Amino acid sequence: MATHKLLLLPGDGIGPEVMAEVQRLVDWLNATGLAHFETERGLVGGAAYDAHKVAISEADMGKAKAADAVIFGAVGGPKWDGVPYDVRPEAGLLRLRKELGLFANLRPAVCYPALAEASSLKREAVEGLDIVIVRELTGGVYFGEPKTITDLGNGQKRAVDTQVYDTYEIERIARVAFDLARKRRNKVTSMEKRNVMKTGVLWNEVVTKVHDRDYKDVALEHQLADSGGMNLVKAPKQFDVIVTDNLFGDMLSDIAAMLTGSLGMLPSASLGEIDAKSGKRKALYEPVHGSAPDIAGKGLANPIAMIASFAMALRYSFDMGELADKLEGAIAEVLKSGLRTADIKSERGASASTAQMGEAIINELDKLSA
Ligand code: IPM
Ligand code: MN
């Protein structure tokens, strides 16, 4: 059996706690012989700042580039609010995305039937929801230059962020969305703001061209990103695959997360281009939730988004789709059994700790694998 190299970057806040559940799972997979992983660890975000005064060290960047997949926890927290902008915790994550070329961010929002009550929306609106947001991840306003604050000398300052997209960046993310839709319900909704943004005009034009040239069999629809956001909370089941830019994707995926009951449920995969020679692609897997400093260290965090992100790694980096199906099935079974961490609990009563949830998922996986 092939050995796969993982780099675990737990990060800050609840990152280490939820990562401990991935480590538990990896140890179990290795012990049962279902897979073989070698794991290394590194520091990112505030943890890296405290140790090295940077958001990620050169040594850990090197490890990330050498790994078959990076498993990422979360970064940030009030402790680092005052650190210089260049070395703020989030800079570590952005550097990983940029230097590994992880342009395609897949954020599936699936509402487990057992959790329909935990959503702030009515059960009918979200039960059975299964959509994927495909977020462009290495372009747009996150990385565009200039990105500056200038002192105008008259008591005023001017801040500039730049939203830039080139044709090739839109083409390649559109392809990811159309390819994915073909394996699902064959529908893509593209979201931009062509009514106020030039990048929106180009986005719309390029997505349409890619569709008309190579993906006529897939249904394509365009929505302005603001009304798209409204539709996401009004009638989310109309969507299959949503493709959108870096900033809109960030916002829309937090909305989509809440449809599923909790931000603690949503996994994500950030993928690079497939290398023509090796057939491999760089990849990083992370929960959509943040570091939740308010509950960090208390064993309250929901590890499901982190564990489901690892399931995406099995599927997209290691061609272990069957094992990924079982792991996702184990999560569904555990939820069905009624076990809940605090964030997804709707009635009163004791809630499960991070570790109890992690253990229960492994026990269920054990049964499904027997
Ligand atoms: C996310 C996060 C990041 C982003 C932050 C931590 C930089 O919110 O992955 O959604 O804005 O992309
Ligand atoms: Mn976000």
Side-chain angles (χ1 to χ4, degrees):
M1 187 182 294
T3 299
H4 303 298
K5 270 176 27 186
L6 298 175
L7 175 64
L8 308 186
L9 296 175
D12 309 320
I14 60 169
E17 291 160 66
V18 293
M19 190 64 79
E21 300 314 309
V22 167
Q23 182 74 64
R24 189 196 301 273
L25 179 58
V26 165
D27 292 344
W28 183 83
L29 289 170
N30 283 343
T32 55
L34 282 172
H36 197 260
F37 292 106
E38 259 170 31
T39 54
E40 276 200 291
R41 281 176 174 258
L43 298 175
V44 67
Y49 181 80
D50 289 347
H52 310 295
K53 294 279 170 287
V54 290
I56 184 164
S57 67
E58 296 308 319
D60 284 343
M61 273 308 297
K63 284 188 206 166
K65 286 176 185 167
D68 293 316
V70 179
I71 312 294
F72 186 99
V75 288
K79 183 178 175 197
W80 302 282
D81 276 350
V83 309
Y85 186 78
D86 288 354
V87 292
R88 73 198 188 288
E90 291 76 7
L93 176 57
L94 296 178
R95 183 172 175 202
L96 282 161
R97 289 174 180 171
K98 193 70 179 176
E99 287 190 23
L100 298 180
L102 308 174
F103 71 95
N105 184 216
L106 274 43
R107 299 190 156 186
V110 174
C111 185
Y112 292 90
L115 278 191
E117 290 307 335
S119 172
S120 46
L121 268 65
K122 293 195 194 85
R123 173 180 273 281
E124 313 83 83
V126 293
E127 195 168 23
L129 180 76
D130 178 1
I131 64 179
V132 184
I133 296 188
V134 175
R135 169 187 176 192
E136 199 291 324
L137 203 62
T138 50
V141 76
Y142 272 61
F143 296 99
E145 296 286 348
K147 196 177 198 46
T148 51
I149 299 181
T150 314
D151 202 324
L152 298 179
N154 56 355
Q156 296 283 306
K157 291 182 184 175
R158 178 169 296 152
V160 178
D161 288 292
T162 307
Q163 163 92 345
V164 201
Y165 273 108
D166 289 357
T167 304
Y168 81 94
E169 295 177 284
I170 306 169
E171 273 174 356
R172 66 183 178 182
I173 195 71
R175 288 186 177 285
V176 170
F178 288 126
D179 285 334
L180 187 63
R182 275 184 178 158
K183 294 185 209 143
R184 297 172 45 92
R185 298 189 303 276
N186 224 30
K187 178 175 172 190
V188 170
T189 306
S190 170
M191 294 191 188
E192 31 61 16
K193 282 280 290 177
R194 65 186 175 282
N195 51 350
V196 281
M197 297 167 79
K198 289 291 185 187
T199 48
V201 173
L202 186 66
W203 184 280
N204 184 281
E205 185 183 303
V206 173
V207 171
T208 304
K209 265 196 197 138
V210 171
H211 171 261
D212 293 354
R213 205 193 310 135
D214 297 326
Y215 296 93
K216 274 248 191 265
D217 54 304
V218 182
L220 170 65
E221 168 192 271
H222 300 277
Q223 291 191 10
L224 295 173
D226 54 346
S227 85
M230 180 200 61
N231 283 327
L232 256 181
V233 285
K234 188 176 161 203
K237 286 192 244 174
Q238 70 186 274
F239 298 110
D240 178 17
V241 175
I242 294 172
V243 63
T244 190
D245 78 12
N246 204 342
L247 183 61
F248 292 142
D250 182 43
M251 300 173 59
L252 294 169
S253 61
D254 266 33
I255 297 178
M258 267 326 286
L259 303 175
T260 70
S262 163
L263 207 47
M265 296 296 300
L266 219 70
S268 90
S270 305
L271 308 174
E273 213 107 51
I274 296 174
D275 182 75
K277 267 193 208 144
S278 66
K280 288 187 179 184
R281 69 188 340 168
K282 296 264 180 279
L284 178 148
Y285 299 88
E286 59 165 319
V288 171
H289 65 68
S291 59
D294 52 320
I295 58 161
K298 298 183 180 159
L300 291 174
N302 183 350
I304 291 180
M306 185 77 257
I307 293 172
S309 299
F310 185 73
M312 292 187 85
L314 296 174
R315 191 181 306 284
Y316 291 105
S317 284
F318 305 123
D319 205 18
M320 294 189 232
E322 227 173 281
L323 188 57
D325 287 344
K326 281 188 189 147
L327 181 51
E328 286 161 1
I331 293 172
E333 279 305 312
V334 168
L335 291 172
K336 221 199 280 169
S337 79
L339 200 72
R340 300 278 187 275
T341 43
D343 58 311
I344 47 177
K345 206 157 171 62
S346 44
E347 329 90 63
R348 262 176 286 204
S351 47
S353 69
T354 311
Q356 284 167 334
M357 182 57 88
E359 276 167 22
I361 291 170
I362 292 176
N363 287 338
E364 207 48 60
L365 181 61
D366 192 23
K367 282 188 216 157
L368 292 175
S369 310

